[in-house]
Amino acid sequence: GIIKVVPNVYYNGKNTQGNEYIVKIDKTAPEIINVSTRELANTISVSVEAQDKLSGIKGYMYSSDGGKTWSEITTNTSYEFTGLDFGTEYEIQVKVVDNVGNEVTESKSLSTSKINAPVINFTPSASTNQNVLVEIKYDDIPSITKQYRVLYKNGTDSGWLEYVGMFEVDKNATVYARILSNGSVATS
């Protein structure tokens, strides 16, 4: 609401009326117009559209654990939660705070994509005295890194290499495969 303030000053036995001031009192929370989200393997992106017609918006806070912990207040209307677990449900909350401390919160239950561990196929698939071809099947998910590692019986270790297609290994080798996505790993 609006309040008109007119101070009266009593000084040296005289009562003097001061200038008139108009004061806006903002007891109204901001309004969230829209919250849009995008869920990936282990990332959830949030964008918020909000308004506050009286004191204006001070900033936004974001939570992925139902409001137990919050990001620092920011003027960014978008936020990305990274390093989340694959195939897990999260209670995403957006809090909008105006310039006098009024706030409003909106919640959404969202899940990250489930990623299956890579599947390693050998050709021939039966025991053999020959080298074998290795093909690794990965889930088709954007922004993942596909890697493999070969450990040979003599102790040689290839280290993690980027998978680009079929490759040949010694019959006595052990092959591992993994998917990396923003700090999370799925291994087979």
Side-chain angles (χ1 to χ4, degrees):
I2 297 177
I3 296 178
K4 182 167 66 170
V5 177
V6 181
N8 285 317
V9 179
Y10 187 76
Y11 180 71
N12 286 337
K14 292 184 179 178
N15 190 12
T16 306
Q17 189 172 9
N19 293 333
E20 179 178 296
Y21 297 94
I22 303 295
V23 179
K24 289 183 182 178
I25 308 272
D26 182 358
K27 293 184 179 181
T28 305
E31 176 188 2
I32 294 177
I33 297 167
N34 184 47
V35 175
S36 59
T37 59
R38 182 172 178 229
E39 304 90 65
L40 294 173
N42 65 342
T43 302
I44 295 176
S45 300
V46 179
S47 293
V48 61
E49 182 183 352
Q51 67 181 6
D52 187 284
K53 294 180 180 178
L54 293 175
S55 65
I57 293 175
K58 178 180 181 179
Y60 305 85
M61 297 170 70
Y62 303 90
S63 173
S64 63
D65 59 9
K68 294 177 187 160
T69 59
W70 291 92
S71 69
E72 295 292 322
I73 194 162
T74 178
T75 56
N76 292 329
T77 59
S78 296
Y79 192 82
E80 186 170 86
F81 298 98
T82 60
L84 303 174
D85 293 330
F86 299 125
T88 302
E89 185 173 335
Y90 290 90
E91 183 68 26
I92 302 298
Q93 291 192 341
V94 176
K95 184 185 291 185
V96 182
V97 182
D98 71 14
N99 285 306
V100 295
N102 297 314
E103 57 187 49
V104 63
T105 303
E106 186 167 317
S107 299
K108 287 190 175 196
S109 291
L110 302 168
S111 295
T112 52
S113 303
K114 180 174 180 1
I115 292 185
N116 296 307
V119 176
I120 303 171
N121 296 314
F122 298 95
T123 305
S125 57
S127 219
T128 180
N129 285 331
Q130 303 171 3
N131 290 349
V132 293
L133 286 176
V134 178
E135 182 178 27
I136 305 172
K137 302 280 188 189
Y138 293 91
D139 284 350
D140 188 21
I141 296 174
S143 74
I144 63 170
T145 302
K146 303 170 185 178
Q147 294 183 328
Y148 72 95
R149 181 179 192 172
V150 181
L151 299 176
Y152 295 93
K153 219 165 190 134
N154 66 6
T156 304
D157 181 350
S158 69
W160 288 104
L161 305 170
E162 184 175 350
Y163 180 76
V164 292
M166 291 179 73
F167 58 93
E168 187 174 345
V169 296
D170 180 278
K171 65 183 182 324
N172 295 316
T174 303
V175 177
Y176 297 92
R178 72 179 180 182
I179 296 172
L180 301 175
S181 178
N182 292 327
S184 294
V185 180
T187 305
S188 64

